[in-house]
Each structure stands twice: as structure tokens, then as C-alpha cells.
Amino acid sequence: MKSSKTIIKGGRFLIPGTDEPVLSGYMTIEDDLITYIGKEEPLAEDGVLVVDGSRLLFMPGLVNTHGHAAMSLLRGYGDDLALQVWLQEKMWPMEEKFTGEDVYWGTSLSVLEMLKGGTTTFLDMYDHMDRVAEVVELSGIRSVLMRGVIGLCPEEVQNHKLAEAISFARNWHGKADGRITTMISPHAPYTCPPDFFVKFVQAAHDLDLPMHTHMSETKREVEQNVVDYGMRPVAHLEKLGMFTRPSIVAHGVHLTDEEIEILARHDVGVSHNPGSNLKLASGVARVTDLLKAGVKVSLGTDGAASNNNLDMFEEMRLTALIHKGVSGDPTAVPAPEALRIATEYGAKSIFLNDVGRLAVGMKADFIAIDIDQPHLLPHTDLLSHAVYSASAKDVEHVWVNGKQVVKHGQCVTLDEEAIRRKAQESFDGLLKR
Amino acid sequence: MKSSKTIIKGGRFLIPGTDEPVLSGYMTIEDDLITYIGKEEPLAEDGVLVVDGSRLLFMPGLVNTHGHAAMSLLRGYGDDLALQVWLQEKMWPMEEKFTGEDVYWGTSLSVLEMLKGGTTTFLDMYDHMDRVAEVVELSGIRSVLMRGVIGLCPEEVQNHKLAEAISFARNWHGKADGRITTMISPHAPYTCPPDFFVKFVQAAHDLDLPMHTHMSETKREVEQNVVDYGMRPVAHLEKLGMFTRPSIVAHGVHLTDEEIEILARHDVGVSHNPGSNLKLASGVARVTDLLKAGVKVSLGTDGAASNNNLDMFEEMRLTALIHKGVSGDPTAVPAPEALRIATEYGAKSIFLNDVGRLAVGMKADFIAIDIDQPHLLPHTDLLSHAVYSASAKDVEHVWVNGKQVVKHGQCVTLDEEAIRRKAQESFDGLLKR
């Protein structure tokens, strides 16, 4: 492969957690890596692509650590309902009908939305994962993929699903120029009986892969866990051995001090899904306490059916806002921390240690937002603007793994027109079937 | 004036609170009024402008019932600070330096942002209000304007400010083709001593105008009111006679059942400012209880310095989300109710009874959003998409008082380039002075 080199000239760069969080200067990308960032202008030899960085704010691509991309087909199909009604009367009957083709177009719709909105990495837990991986290959996005398994079924079906999850994880790990990694993912402690759950733990050990599951999203589910197994979900998962693997749990809304301590001790990440947790009335996660305890907190959109968009800027802002309002402390989750949660901590939470920051040696996954717009002026503090004022639609350019995938707001790797049409057709088809 | 007529052909129209909340059909606008909306295609005579409504979702313009537009100059200038530090070290020292020119450009920046984001009416409480009115005249937006008066000053200064407030309210009421109405606005019970406050009540009676003030935004301010005057703010304002005038209060975060009952009895509106209340850690207003008691709830962005944008779609979504999450009830503030709060109830709250709905005889203040986008597909429930998925930047066209002011995302009444430059210059000047 011929090597490529790009220089961003005269831009502003967000580097939260450093002495100069808004750096004015230059950044060089060679192949898939950031090889320079600083104030000195690098030499632009022949064949180097120079990008004018004025009017633009560069930041790490956003990392979405929990979701079900294909569920975008059910966006707006059932809102403002009690959780059980929503699941049993709306989501499950429709999801049962999903074919691989539906998953392909639903995932395409979501990946298109995510890329255009500045998300460069997403975690996806769903079914028909080969079709999801196809979309990832084609689109140029980075992802962590896993077959999510619900084990409320006969043993034979359980074993079939488990085998599917294992074979998917083995086949796709490291594929698409390394943009795809995989995990092992029993859906939740309340949908996978203990003896089945431990088979996933064993598989994760065998394949040397991390694990992901839903945990403590609702109060009811925590109470039921105590009834069924005599302990709360964190102790339950610890007992089943999940935390002997590198792990990330989604939601973690209802946690005791003791549970937070256990998660911190095992370095288990928590994917905070503020939009979904509010919309489904699950509650408000103890994010400031998790951070204080040293737990890796990251952000997930969850599926679009419970969000109802995949705008990670919105999740980042919700995180910076809600925990202030609920705690009464206006200094809770300050802007630089919210940004790191949405980027750097996100990448670390899904075990991508070379993603999530603008720094030499990191993967060139970054985005540029147009800062010469009324709602992003005056230029007082651009980091604050990125967190408190911007939205997905301010994203002008997106690079993943060193390749530009969104240019002037248009995705250059996917056929947007076809995806829009096919996604609508898929939904119409689901309604009819 | 030559009469004008426009027909919107083949659009989708949001009419929440009716049997058919998403109507497919036609709408006719003659001069400043909606004269037809329905499924029959109206006759397009010569000289009638026909707008193709396909790909577009039409809805009433959003109504922002509390803000300080010029404060956009301080967007991002001080975040994540304790309220007193933010006010005393950041906001007040800068605001003290605001000239009429600063107010003009700060307001222009905000009006530009609001119009482009689908807000067709805004309430503004600030200083140098003549300059604010100029922006309103020029831009074509609708507004309710008032000089907000802080009375923590010698009597002579107090009286001067009061006279200014009265003369502004008298001079501008009904101006700009009726797009400007005015109110009388003592800043807050904690910044206006009782004897001064009652002079505003008297002035409002004399001019036959409504009143607006900040009330019960923070717990601390409520407690101080009890210390100073022996009662909570609602009883205090009732005693001072404010509620003998048509009134709307901003924030109303900390309210008892009894206070909610008093507000309902006097038909006092509450401008809910969710973004600002979260960011400043003021708390979460009792919106579902207010609605249940029959109080008119509307939405305000507050100033951009505590928000930090003026995206009313975001406030609408926050309202639909937060109260579910905090109450534990996923049916709280359903999408149609959130939309009405952001439009119809907003207009009623600021006493504009012919604004806020798409219906015959109403003012033609409406917006169109581009619904053929990934995050607004598939078309399951377009009302849900408007509330849960859309943002300011999805707005394609905006009409106020029958005139189109935003066309394909560009504001046609204001010079955006000049405003962006001047707003930045104003901020730079404030920093230097």
C-alpha cells in the first residue's frame, strides 16, 4: 500500500486534560496514524495533502460504547409507553421479524447517521452480525461487534446461539484493516440463566476477548435479581466470573456504593446511556460517584428506538447537564471531563488504547466542526462550545483510521440516497409481514 | 399593501392535540394569516406562490418565553462554576460594560440563531431595549420585549430605570406590524424591594400590560425570601399584587403544592428553562405537577451564557426526557404535549392568542424541517421525530407573520456575515475594556 500523508494547517485542536486544551496549530496524519500535533508548521513535501484548518475545530471522533444499530428501523415506533408495553407490544414483535436484510439497512442508516454526526467508533450488540460487519467494512467506521444472546429458550437453541456468537467473534476480530474487534456478549443477567452465562465467560477466556452485557438498567430488574439469585447484579456477575475478563457493562443506573467499589476494583467500564435512561424512565446513573471511584465511564446512545437519534454530542451534553441539575453541584462533570468521557474514556472502555485522543501515535480518528456559525460564536472557549453548544449537524469532516469518510457533511463511503430509501422500505416491509 | 398568497402543496403538518396530529395536505397563507389547512387542494390562481411541501414537515414556529438575547456575547465565557462565582466574577462585570452597540450585535446573533433554528417568537428581558427592538423590526421575528429592572440601587436610579421601562413599553407596544408587544418586568423579587416592585404593578395597570419576572429559580433564593419577607416567593408576589395582572414567571423550579395552586388560580404562566436550570444546578422544575394543576407551562432558553445555545428543539426534548427520568414514569410529558408546550402553550403564556398553532385564523408563524435525513427516517411517527430526533439545524424554511425569513437554511432578512464578525468584535472589545 502506498503511504499517504495529510497536514491540517492552522486549525484549532481539542486536547482535554492537558495544559493547553485548545491548541492552535498543525496536525500531520501518515497512513492511519497521527504523527505530529503542535504549533510548528510541518514541511509539506510533494504529494502531501494540505487541509485548510481555519473555521474548523478538530477533535477526536466520538466513541459510542453501547447500541443496537439496526433498531434505527424502529425509531419513533412506540414512544411514551411503559417499558413492558414498549418491549412486549412494540419492539419484540417487530424485532422477531428482522431479517439479515433488515439488519443490513437499519445498520447502514445508523452508521450513516453516526459518521455524519462525528461518531467514529461504535459498539454494536445485535443479531445477524455478519451483515453488521459488512456495513462496517464498507463504511470505513471503526467498531466493536458482538452477537448479543438472549438465553430464554431451550438448551438446543441456547447452544446454537452461543456457537454463533463464538464463531462471529473469532471470524471478525481484527478484520477490516483492524477496524473491527469483537467481544462476547450474553444479553443480560436477567435474560441468560447462570449456567448459560458462564459458558460465555468460558468462551471469552478461550478466545481471549472482552465481555459486554446490559446490567442494572432498571430498579425492577435489580430487585428481581435479588429474588432470583439472592444478590444484586454486580455481585451476581462477579460470582459468574464475568469480571475475570476485561468487561464493560451498559447502563449501570442502579448501583450501591459497594457495587461501584466492585466495578472499580475489577476495572469494569460503565457505558452511560443518559438519553435512553431518561426516555425509558430508568433513572439517572450515579456518574459523578462512578468517576470519583475511578470507574471508566463512557457514553452510549443505545438503540435509536429509545433515544431517538444517535447524536453523541447530545449524549455528551446531557451528561454535562443532568448530573449538575440532579446533584445541585454546578461543577459536576465539567466540559473537559464530558468530552473525555465521550472520546478517550470511551475508547479505553472498549479496549482501544490507541483511539480517542489527538496525540502522536494514536489512530487518526478525528472530526472537524464548522465553528463559524451563530450558535458557536463568539469564540470564547471552543471546548465549551463543543460540549454545550454544538450538535451532530455541525460536523463538517470526519476521518477514521486516516481516511476521510465525511467531506463537507456528505458521507463519501456510503450511498446515502439508497440507504434512506431502503431503510424506509424495510420498515414498511416489517409492518406488512 | 398588496395582498400576498402562498399555498403549501403536499406537505405533512403537525397539529398536536387533534385527532389527526400529522395531517397530509395543503395550507394556504394570505398576508399574515393561515386561511386554509386541510386535505383538499386549494385552487392556485395567478400570482399565488406555490411551495412544494414534499420532503418537508411543517409545524408551528417555536416560542421561546424567557431569555436575554444579548447575553449570547458571553456564551462559553464561564462554565462549570458555582452560581455566585459565575455571576459575580464572570457575568456581572462583563454585563456592566455592555453598550447599546453590544446589545445590538449580541441580540442580532441570538435572533439569527433563533430564526435559523425555527424559533419564531421570543421574549426578551434586558437593557438597551430600543436596540433590541431595532433588531426585531429588521429581522422579521416576533417578540415580547421588556426592560428588566434590577432595583438594588439608590431611589433616584430606581425611578430612572422604572421610567425607562414604562416609556419603552408604551413606545414599542404593537410596533413592527404588530410583531412587537411589551410587558412590564421587575427583574426578580430578590432584586426589587417590595415598595419598588409595586410601582411596576401599578405601571402595568396603567398601561394595561402583562408582567414578567424571575421567580424561585434557586432553593437559596426561596429561603432568603422567607427570611426577608416571612413568606415564599409566590405568596410574596401575590401580596404585592403582581397576579392581579396577566403574568408569566420564569423558572419556577422550587414550588410547593400550595404555590402551584396559587399560580393555577391566577392563571400565571411558568416559563420552564430546563437547559439553564440543569447547567446552573438549580434543579428540576415540577413540570408534570404544574401541567396537572392546569398551569400554562412554556419553554425558555434563558440567556445563551447558561444554556449554551438557543436551540428550542433541545429544550423541547429535554422537557420530554427529564421529567420521565426523574419521575420514573415513561409516559410523563409525551411528545404531543412537549410540542404544545414549545408552541401553543408558549404563545398563550405570553398572551399571543393567535400564534402557536397551524389553524385557520392563526398568524402564519410556521417552520418546515427537512425530514428526508438519516436521523429522521424511517417515517414512523413524524411528531415523535420532531420532538425526539430533530434539532435546530434541521430547519429548512421559516415564516413569521406570513413572510418567509429563512429560506433553505439561510436567513434572508439579516446579514449573517456582518453579525458573526460584529459579535466577535463586541466580545473582544468587552474583554479589553
Side-chain angles (χ1 to χ4, degrees), chain A residues 68-74 77 86-88 90-99 102-103 125-128 150 187 303 305 430 433:
Chain A
H68 316 285
M71 287 187 82
S72 61
L73 292 186
L74 303 180
Y77 181 71
W86 179 72
L87 280 174
Q88 290 169 12
K90 291 286 181 171
M91 294 299 114
W92 290 346
M94 287 291 264
E95 285 186 284
E96 234 174 44
K97 295 190 272 182
F98 272 35
T99 62
D102 293 325
V103 167
M125 177 212 283
Y126 212 66
D127 195 359
H128 300 285
I150 295 183
H187 170 271
L430 286 165
R433 283 202 296 275

Side-chain angles (χ1 to χ4, degrees), chain A residues 110-122:
Chain A
S110 286
V111 168
L112 183 60
E113 180 186 350
M114 286 193 277
L115 280 179
K116 291 179 80 172
T119 296
T120 52
T121 300
F122 75 110

Side-chain angles (χ1 to χ4, degrees), chain A residues 203-391:
Chain A
H205 274 291
D206 295 344
L207 295 166
D208 194 20
L209 289 174
M211 292 188 72
H212 182 50
T213 197
H214 293 94
M215 191 196 75
S216 305
E217 179 177 2
T218 65
K219 198 165 164 244
R220 187 163 166 270
E221 145 204 350
V222 173
E223 289 165 355
Q224 192 60 44
N225 204 93
V226 174
V227 170
D228 292 346
Y229 306 117
M231 63 192 88
R232 294 174 61 95
V234 174
H236 180 61
L237 293 182
E238 189 185 30
K239 192 180 162 204
L240 297 180
M242 175 166 171
F243 304 150
T244 63
R245 298 301 312 157
S247 296
I248 172 170
V249 294
H251 303 294
V253 176
H254 300 276
L255 297 172
T256 62
D257 290 350
E258 200 193 339
E259 286 180 297
I260 291 175
E261 202 191 300
I262 298 173
L263 295 174
R265 192 165 63 237
H266 293 289
D267 198 24
V268 176
V270 172
S271 177
H272 177 38
N273 293 198
S276 174
N277 294 159
L278 290 173
K279 183 151 187 283
L280 298 177
S282 306
V284 176
R286 296 176 57 189
V287 163
T288 49
D289 295 326
L290 286 165
L291 289 167
K292 216 172 290 167
V295 173
K296 284 177 298 193
V297 176
S298 58
L299 291 182
T301 55
D302 210 351
S306 61
N307 192 305
N308 291 352
N309 63 38
L310 306 177
D311 181 349
M312 280 286 291
F313 283 93
E314 193 179 320
E315 302 301 322
M316 177 163 64
R317 179 153 55 246
L318 276 174
T319 304
L321 291 179
I322 300 171
H323 305 289
K324 291 178 173 66
V326 169
S327 70
D329 174 7
T331 70
V333 197
E337 186 75 348
L339 181 58
R340 294 176 83 180
I341 290 171
T343 54
E344 178 186 346
Y345 302 168
K348 277 188 187 150
S349 299
I350 52 177
F351 313 102
L352 302 174
N353 292 316
D354 52 359
V355 168
R357 285 184 302 126
L358 301 184
V360 171
M362 301 295 282
K363 293 283 186 192
D365 290 12
F366 64 100
I367 68 177
I369 68 177
D370 172 6
I371 48 174
D372 197 16
Q373 302 186 82
H375 66 292
L376 301 176
L377 282 165
H379 291 168
T380 48
D381 176 352
L382 293 177
L383 195 156
S384 159
H385 286 2
V387 173
Y388 289 119
S389 312
S391 82

Side-chain angles (χ1 to χ4, degrees), chain B residues 5-61:
Chain B
K5 187 168 176 178
T6 302
I7 294 174
I8 312 285
K9 192 175 162 175
R12 256 75 62 97
F13 301 87
L14 292 186
I15 319 178
T18 65
D19 291 343
E20 201 170 354
V22 186
L23 177 90
S24 290
Y26 303 84
M27 185 166 76
T28 305
I29 300 100
E30 292 181 70
D31 295 328
D32 58 341
L33 296 179
I34 296 171
T35 54
Y36 174 78
I37 181 162
K39 293 180 184 178
E40 301 291 318
E41 182 164 2
L43 194 71
E45 313 95 358
D46 279 358
V48 169
L49 179 68
V50 176
V51 174
D52 177 13
S54 58
R55 282 188 68 139
L56 295 173
L57 176 68
F58 294 85
M59 50 188 275

Side-chain angles (χ1 to χ4, degrees), chain A residues 72-73 75-77 79-83 109 112-113 275 278-281 283 308-309 314 317-318 321 324-325 328-331 334-335 372-375 377-381 384-385 388-389 393-394 416 420 424 427, chain B residues 72-73 75-77 79-83 109 112-113 275 278-281 283 308-309 314 317-318 321 324-325 328-331 334-335 372-375 377-381 384-385 388-389 393-394 416 420 424 427:
Chain A
S72 61
L73 292 186
R75 186 199 315 275
Y77 181 71
D79 301 300
D80 309 320
L81 297 170
L83 185 67
L109 185 71
L112 183 60
E113 180 186 350
L278 290 173
K279 183 151 187 283
L280 298 177
N308 291 352
N309 63 38
E314 193 179 320
R317 179 153 55 246
L318 276 174
L321 291 179
K324 291 178 173 66
D329 174 7
T331 70
D372 197 16
Q373 302 186 82
H375 66 292
L377 282 165
H379 291 168
T380 48
D381 176 352
S384 159
H385 286 2
Y388 289 119
S389 312
K393 293 198 72 178
D394 297 322
E416 174 162 343
R420 287 198 309 240
Q424 183 68 47
F427 174 71
Chain B
S72 61
L73 292 185
R75 185 199 318 273
Y77 180 73
D79 300 301
D80 310 318
L81 298 169
L83 186 67
L109 186 70
L112 183 60
E113 180 186 351
L278 290 172
K279 182 153 188 283
L280 298 176
N308 291 349
N309 62 37
E314 193 178 320
R317 180 153 52 246
L318 277 174
L321 291 179
K324 290 179 174 65
D329 174 8
T331 69
D372 198 17
Q373 301 184 82
H375 66 292
L377 281 165
H379 291 170
T380 49
D381 176 351
S384 160
H385 287 2
Y388 289 118
S389 314
K393 293 199 71 180
D394 297 322
E416 173 161 342
R420 287 199 307 240
Q424 183 67 47
F427 174 72

Side-chain angles (χ1 to χ4, degrees), chain B residues 3 19 36 51 81 101 103-104 137 155 174 191 207 233 265 267 273 304 310 322 325 364 374 403:
Chain B
S3 77
D19 291 343
Y36 174 78
V51 174
L81 298 169
E101 199 67 2
V103 168
Y104 182 84
E137 272 203 304
E155 203 186 331
T191 57
L207 295 166
R265 194 164 61 236
D267 199 25
N273 293 197
L310 306 178
I322 302 170
K403 290 205 176 72

